[in-house]
């Protein structure tokens, strides 16, 4: 498809779609808790609908009344053996977190994904779950899906994480809630903490001391009302577009600003962006963001901030192509095992449009500023690469053609309509 253009920058106000990570977890916590969970502002995008489908297949009653999603949970013990192979679609979060739940169930199950998900590494969750007593097997003895889980009971572990990953941490936490004893997880770097926050919100007990998390098994969680804030990972595309486009004056409403997710705000502000946070909603950890165009300079991005902006790195790389100086992104090797290899895809596609990006083992070196020009680019079937390329197209005079734009439905089905309303 031919991507959208603007002559005026981004102007106006927008409520970005609901947070994907929190939407997934609200279904999962609803399913394993006792009683009704009502989810306001659930993200009805393909990834989260994969989580809905998986829990329906596990016998949980989930209804969409057009406004809210209602989950009738009855605890871990009420999940039923699925009749078919569970389908996680493109969603790594669904597969990895659900493995933590399935590992401690008495029944056998099997979970698969689409071609992209079936190439993504699962040993990172299967390893610790096996240490807890879980019985999980990848395809033909590999670490790749489909994963077969043989029903068993689990015992607590103490686990020092070799990678910074909220998905791995969350899988272990879901297993720990079913395990005998007290589980301790020591994070490599602090990653998004929505699972920990929701254990508390659903009435459970969890102790978090910097990077050490402790939780006991056998707790009874109780259904809640959840309001999902806007997704800062979706807001990211507008934050960069408005920062780069002259005359922009943009207001993003009710964006989640949980500090484990706001690395992009820190980096863009360090680069010179004009972003203000107003109207903090403490209960939902959300705020409005006001963005105006500003000249950007290069930055060095690495270390503990990486998990706080991991999904935003492709669009941050785009921002860096327009910044004065050389931006270095390091410690981001996890980008290679996302929906696609996002280091290669970002560099390859932006370089087609005139960027000067070198790839490294754990990141990118971006020489800026380079004017971008038109061309034909590919999302690689990755929603975030597709949206990043649409932002790049706003910066070119000539047309940009995008192959596989449908990937964007994974997290943001209304992306093009929303963007059109601002240009
Ligand atoms: C997510 C964690 C991150 C992120 C993904 C969503 C989550 O993955 O990239 O989009 O909801 O827990 P990793 O845990 O693999 O870093």
């Amino acid at each position: 498809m031919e991507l959208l253009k603007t002559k005026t920058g981004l102007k106006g106000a927008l409520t970005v779609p609901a947070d994907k990570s929190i939407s997934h977890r609200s279904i999962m916590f609803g399913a394993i808790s006792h009683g009704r969970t009502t989810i306001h502002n659930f993200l009805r995008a393909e990834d989260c609908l994969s989580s809905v489908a998986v829990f329906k297949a596990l016998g949980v009653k989930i209804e969409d009344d057009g406004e809210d999603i209602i989950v009738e949970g009855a605890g871990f013990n009420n999940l039923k053996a699925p009749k078919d192979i569970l389908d996680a679609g493109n969603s790594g979060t669904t597969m990895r977190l659900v493995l933590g739940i399935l590992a401690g169930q008495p029944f056998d199950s099997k979970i698969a994904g689409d071609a992209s998900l079936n190439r993504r590494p699962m040993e990172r969750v299967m390893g610790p779950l096996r240490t807890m007593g879980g019985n999980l097997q990848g395809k033909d003895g590999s670490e790749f899906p489909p994963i077969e889980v043989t029903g068993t009971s689990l015992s607590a572990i103490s686990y020092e994480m070799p990678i910074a990953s909220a998905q791995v941490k969350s899988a272990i936490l879901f297993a720990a809630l079913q395990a005998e004893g007290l589980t301790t997880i020591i994070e490599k770097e602090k990653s998004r903490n929505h699972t920990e926050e929701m254990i508390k919100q659903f009435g459970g007990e969890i102790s978090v001391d910097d990077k050490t998390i402790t939780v006991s098994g056998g707790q009874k969680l109780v259904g809640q009302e959840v309001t999902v804030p806007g997704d800062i990972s979706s807001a990211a595309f507008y934050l960069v577009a408005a920062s780069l486009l002259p005359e922009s004056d943009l207001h993003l409403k009710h964006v989640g600003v949980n500090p484990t997710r706001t690395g992009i705000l820190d980096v863009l502000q360090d680069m010179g962006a004009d972003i203000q946070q107003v109207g903090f909603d403490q209960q939902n950890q959300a705020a409005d963001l006001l963005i105006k165009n500003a000249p950007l300079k290069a930055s060095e991005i690495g270390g503990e901030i990486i998990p706080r902006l991991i999904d935003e790195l492709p669009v941050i790389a785009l921002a860096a192509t327009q910044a004065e100086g050389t931006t270095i992104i390091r410690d981001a090797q996890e980008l290679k095992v996302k929906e696609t290899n996002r280091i290669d895809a970002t560099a390859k596609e932006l370089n087609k449009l005139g960027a000067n990006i070198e790839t490294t083992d754990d990141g990118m070196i971006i020489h800026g500023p380079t004017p971008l020009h038109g061309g034909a680019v590919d999302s690689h079937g990755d929603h975030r690469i597709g949206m990043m390329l649409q932002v790049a197209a706003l910066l070119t005079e000539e047309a940009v053609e995008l192959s596989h734009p449908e990937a964007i439905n994974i997290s943001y089905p209304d992306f093009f309509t929303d963007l059109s309303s601002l240009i």
Side-chain angles (χ1 to χ4, degrees):
M1 75 177 271
E2 188 171 327
L3 293 174
L4 301 169
K5 314 293 300 172
T6 175
K7 289 209 164 57
T8 59
L10 300 193
K11 290 208 166 97
L14 181 72
T15 303
V16 295
D19 190 278
K20 184 157 83 68
S21 292
I22 298 175
S23 293
H24 279 298
R25 286 163 174 79
S26 62
I27 295 291
M28 297 176 190
F29 276 98
I32 62 167
S33 296
H34 292 260
R36 173 171 295 187
T37 287
T38 304
I39 310 165
H40 308 296
N41 196 35
F42 178 77
L43 177 66
R44 290 172 180 81
E46 284 176 11
D47 251 23
C48 299
L49 295 174
S50 290
S51 283
V52 170
V54 163
F55 282 92
K56 280 186 174 170
L58 291 170
V60 180
K61 194 173 156 218
I62 304 175
E63 274 174 11
D64 184 345
D65 71 5
E67 185 86 6
D68 300 325
I69 302 284
I70 295 124
V71 186
E72 303 287 355
F76 276 109
N77 292 342
N78 199 46
L79 299 177
K80 305 275 183 310
K83 294 194 178 71
D84 293 310
I85 299 177
L86 298 166
D87 183 4
N90 188 248
S91 175
T93 306
T94 305
M95 181 167 293
R96 293 191 176 123
L97 273 57
V98 165
L99 284 174
I101 293 174
L102 294 175
Q105 289 295 312
F107 53 76
D108 298 348
S109 53
K110 189 170 181 178
I111 185 163
D114 68 4
S116 153
L117 182 54
N118 287 346
R119 286 192 297 268
R120 296 181 66 186
M122 295 297 150
E123 184 55 32
R124 52 183 58 204
V125 285
M126 292 199 292
L129 294 176
R130 283 192 196 112
T131 313
M132 298 176 85
N135 196 334
L136 304 98
Q137 220 67 55
K139 188 184 177 202
D140 302 329
S142 74
E143 67 161 317
F144 300 106
I147 308 288
E148 280 188 70
V149 185
T150 309
T152 187
S153 55
L154 303 176
S155 34
I157 48 166
S158 180
Y159 187 67
E160 192 165 339
M161 294 182 58
I163 48 174
S165 163
Q167 292 179 352
V168 174
K169 171 178 64 176
S170 301
I172 302 170
L173 286 172
F174 278 122
L177 287 170
Q178 303 173 77
E180 178 84 39
L182 196 66
T183 291
T184 301
I185 303 170
I186 300 148
E187 288 200 85
K188 184 164 183 249
E189 300 287 1
K190 216 152 174 46
S191 62
R192 66 192 68 193
N193 65 358
H194 306 303
T195 307
E196 298 92 300
E197 292 288 307
M198 286 178 109
I199 288 177
K200 287 186 224 155
Q201 188 182 355
F202 281 72
E205 268 183 39
I206 181 165
S207 122
V208 180
D209 179 7
D210 190 28
K211 291 178 193 159
T212 302
I213 303 162
T214 316
V215 71
S216 63
Q219 301 189 48
K220 183 179 173 186
L221 302 180
V222 180
Q224 297 294 319
E225 235 176 272
V226 178
T227 299
V228 185
D231 198 329
I232 194 162
S233 298
S234 298
F237 302 102
Y238 301 105
L239 294 172
V240 169
S243 294
L244 295 179
L245 289 163
E247 296 171 51
S248 288
D249 189 355
L250 182 64
H251 179 170
L252 298 176
K253 294 184 185 165
H254 211 251
V255 180
V257 288
N258 171 319
T260 62
R261 297 287 299 281
T262 49
I264 185 167
L265 299 179
D266 297 349
V267 162
L268 288 177
Q269 274 156 353
D270 177 58
M271 293 173 83
D274 180 352
I275 302 175
Q276 283 184 59
Q277 202 172 302
V278 295
F280 184 58
D281 162 6
Q282 182 147 20
Q283 197 183 347
N284 297 303
Q285 284 201 299
D288 287 10
L289 301 175
L290 309 176
I291 312 103
K292 287 188 177 150
N293 169 242
L296 300 188
K297 59 179 171 36
S299 182
E300 290 206 13
I301 306 163
E304 61 83 30
I305 200 169
I306 294 294
R308 295 179 53 233
L309 47 62
I310 187 75
D311 291 338
E312 291 67 74
L313 282 170
V315 79
I316 288 173
L318 168 63
T321 69
Q322 303 308 300
E324 193 67 49
T326 299
T327 292
I328 299 171
I329 299 173
R330 54 170 75 91
D331 305 320
Q333 52 274 34
E334 276 298 302
L335 280 185
K336 293 185 187 168
V337 291
K338 297 294 177 189
E339 286 81 332
T340 187
N341 179 332
R342 286 183 175 160
I343 293 180
D344 287 354
T346 300
K348 183 174 175 199
E349 299 308 315
L350 286 178
N351 286 348
K352 284 183 190 167
L353 302 179
N356 183 353
I357 304 180
E358 297 169 55
T359 61
T360 64
D361 250 10
D362 66 349
M364 288 173 252
I365 300 172
I366 303 144
H367 305 278
T370 49
L372 299 184
H373 55 69
V377 290
D378 192 340
S379 75
H380 296 238
D382 183 325
H383 53 129
R384 300 205 195 280
I385 299 294
M387 288 186 274
M388 177 276 286
L389 290 168
Q390 166 60 85
V391 177
L394 297 174
L395 306 172
T396 69
E397 290 276 323
E398 309 84 7
V400 178
E401 279 282 335
L402 176 68
S403 302
H404 306 112
E406 68 288 345
I408 291 169
N409 293 330
I410 290 294
S411 63
Y412 196 165
D414 293 331
F415 177 61
F416 293 111
T417 317
D418 282 358
L419 180 60
S420 308
S421 74
L422 303 171
I423 58 184

